[in-house]
Amino acid sequence: MSEVRSTTPSFLVLGIIDKLGEASPYDVKVEAARTVAPFWSMPHAQAYAQCDRLLEAGLLSEVRQPGGRNRRLMSLTAAGTAALRGWPADPAFVPVEAREPVVNGVAVPGPPLVPGP
C-alpha cells in the first residue's frame, strides 16, 4: 500500500463505489455521468486512473469476474470507508465553489437565470 493524495475526484470515486456497493471503473464513469456530470466532469480515463490509484493505496479491493472480459469489480476496504467518512472533517478539504449562474440558480430561489426558448 502506498500513500495517495486525496483529491475531489478520488472521493467522488469512493462515494460512487460506496453507493453502488461494488463497481467496475466503467460503472463509476457511467454513474458519474448520470449524477454529477452537470457539476463535475470525469473523463473515461480519469475514472480508470482513480480506481487504480485507490486500489494501490489500499482504499479499494478488487475481484475479477471469471471468464469473458475478466471484468474488474471494486469495493471499498475498511480504510476506504474511513477515508470517505472522514473527508468532510479533513482540514485540507476545500469545498468546490459553484460559480456558474445556472448552477447557482439551482439553489437560489427566484426568477430563472437563463431565459427559456
Side-chain angles (χ1 to χ4, degrees), residues 8-55:
T8 301
S10 61
F11 287 111
L12 176 61
V13 168
L14 288 174
I16 289 172
I17 294 175
D18 183 52
K19 176 185 173 199
L20 297 176
E22 66 178 11
S24 69
Y26 178 78
D27 296 332
V28 169
K29 168 63 181 143
V30 168
E31 186 66 10
R34 191 184 74 74
T35 58
V36 299
F39 312 103
W40 194 270
S41 171
M42 179 169 284
H44 187 77
Q46 186 179 33
Y48 281 82
Q50 286 296 329
C51 287
D52 290 342
R53 287 178 64 241
L54 296 169
L55 183 63

Side-chain angles (χ1 to χ4, degrees), residues 1-4 50-60:
M1 264 191 292
S2 66
E3 184 68 27
V4 66
Q50 286 296 329
C51 287
D52 290 342
R53 287 178 64 241
L54 296 169
L55 183 63
E56 183 181 324
L59 300 178
L60 294 177

Side-chain angles (χ1 to χ4, degrees), residues 50-113:
Q50 286 296 329
C51 287
D52 290 342
R53 287 178 64 241
L54 296 169
L55 183 63
E56 183 181 324
L59 300 178
L60 294 177
S61 62
E62 173 187 79
V63 294
R64 296 229 178 224
Q65 287 183 329
R69 293 173 40 216
N70 200 22
R71 191 175 127 148
R72 304 183 317 160
L73 290 176
M74 316 246 173
S75 57
L76 268 65
T77 62
T81 300
L84 181 61
R85 301 293 179 257
W87 177 41
D90 185 341
F93 168 61
V94 178
V96 176
E97 292 183 33
R99 296 181 184 206
E100 293 296 321
V102 173
V103 173
N104 288 333
V106 171
V108 180
L113 298 174

